[in-house]
């Protein structure tokens, strides 16, 4: 099981899909899985049921996914905010895709389906999460100025030496 973590805009979905293709295993995007299961968008869940409920659903979905068949799994940027999710991640090989705050904001721009982007404390949230990302990860990959192909190549060569 390979899990990708990192802030919004780190490229978890793009890199994850490509990495899974290269490794010949399925790709699971936890955000999309939540939307399918709940039959509504992430922003609807935030607006109608609140962030705490979203984190609980996210935790349950991550736990189930990690107990399932081998896959490349992309987590939402805030999944590491849930202590239970951090624990579950101990059993996986976790890759942290690192992105600078300004770069992440530039990459995402204004996105209606990313409710956290309108949070006035976004830079504090970014800083708070950094230690969780590094604590939980087995491998850190810089994404600044690099395309998905290069990043995936880097992950595959490092996984081969790390495992
Ligand atoms: C969130 C990130 C989003 C999504 C939700 C909350 C966050 O995922 O899970 O909007 O708290 O950072 P991405 O990191 O895939 O954008």
């Amino acid at each position: 099981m390979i899990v990708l973590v990192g802030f919004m805009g780190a490229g978890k979905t793009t890199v994850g899909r490509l990495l899974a293709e290269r490794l010949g295993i399925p790709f699971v995007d936890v955000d999309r899985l939540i939307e399918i299961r709940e039959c509504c968008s992430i922003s609807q869940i935030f607006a109608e049921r609140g962030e705490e409920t979203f984190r609980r659903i996210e935790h349950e979905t991550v736990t189930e996914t990690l107990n399932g068949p081998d896959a490349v799994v992309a987590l939402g940027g805030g999944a590491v905010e849930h202590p239970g999710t951090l624990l579950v991640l101990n059993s996986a090989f976790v890759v942290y895709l690192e992105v600078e705050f300004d770069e992440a904001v530039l990459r995402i721009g204004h996105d209606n389906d990313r409710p956290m982007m309108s949070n006035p404390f976004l830079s504090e949230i970014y800083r708070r999460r950094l230690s969780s990302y590094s604590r939980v990860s087995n491998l850190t990959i810089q994404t600044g100025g690099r395309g998905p192909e290069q990043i995936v190549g880097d992950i595959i060569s490092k996984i081969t030496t790390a495992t």
Side-chain angles (χ1 to χ4, degrees):
M1 200 66 79
I2 299 175
V3 179
L4 302 182
V5 299
F7 203 65
M8 291 176 280
K12 300 178 294 285
T13 302
T14 310
V15 168
R17 194 170 283 130
L18 193 61
L19 178 63
E21 201 182 291
R22 292 287 147 79
L23 297 174
I25 56 176
F27 171 64
V28 180
D29 186 313
V30 169
D31 282 341
R32 298 294 81 77
L33 191 56
I34 292 172
E35 292 187 322
I36 292 166
R37 286 183 169 182
E38 299 295 315
C39 297
C40 65
S41 67
I42 303 277
S43 50
Q44 265 174 299
I45 302 175
F46 266 73
E48 290 163 17
R49 296 153 74 189
E51 181 176 351
E52 212 177 303
T53 303
F54 172 75
R55 296 292 168 216
R56 183 183 49 74
I57 298 170
E58 182 177 46
H59 170 65
E60 288 163 8
T61 312
V62 172
T63 305
E64 256 181 64
T65 306
L66 296 193
N67 284 324
D70 208 16
V72 173
V73 181
L75 301 194
V80 296
E81 300 271 17
H82 193 295
T85 300
L86 284 180
L87 274 181
V88 170
L89 286 175
N90 281 331
S91 63
F93 188 85
V94 182
V95 180
Y96 168 29
L97 297 184
E98 206 167 35
V99 62
E100 298 283 329
F101 180 71
D102 292 346
E103 167 108 22
V105 173
L106 266 182
R107 284 187 199 171
I108 292 166
H110 181 71
D111 185 342
N112 283 334
D113 206 29
R114 280 189 166 102
M116 293 302 285
M117 287 307 285
S118 51
N119 190 306
F121 303 106
L122 195 62
S123 63
E124 281 87 345
I125 292 169
Y126 172 88
R127 249 175 287 139
R128 182 177 76 211
R129 288 179 184 172
L130 288 184
S131 63
S132 300
Y133 292 141
S134 24
R135 196 155 17 100
V136 84
S137 59
N138 302 92
L139 179 65
T140 299
I141 300 283
Q142 284 294 339
T143 65
R146 307 165 81 202
E149 292 281 351
Q150 224 183 332
I151 294 170
V152 167
D154 195 8
I155 295 174
I156 290 178
S157 68
K158 288 188 171 137
I159 284 177
T160 322
T161 42
T163 53

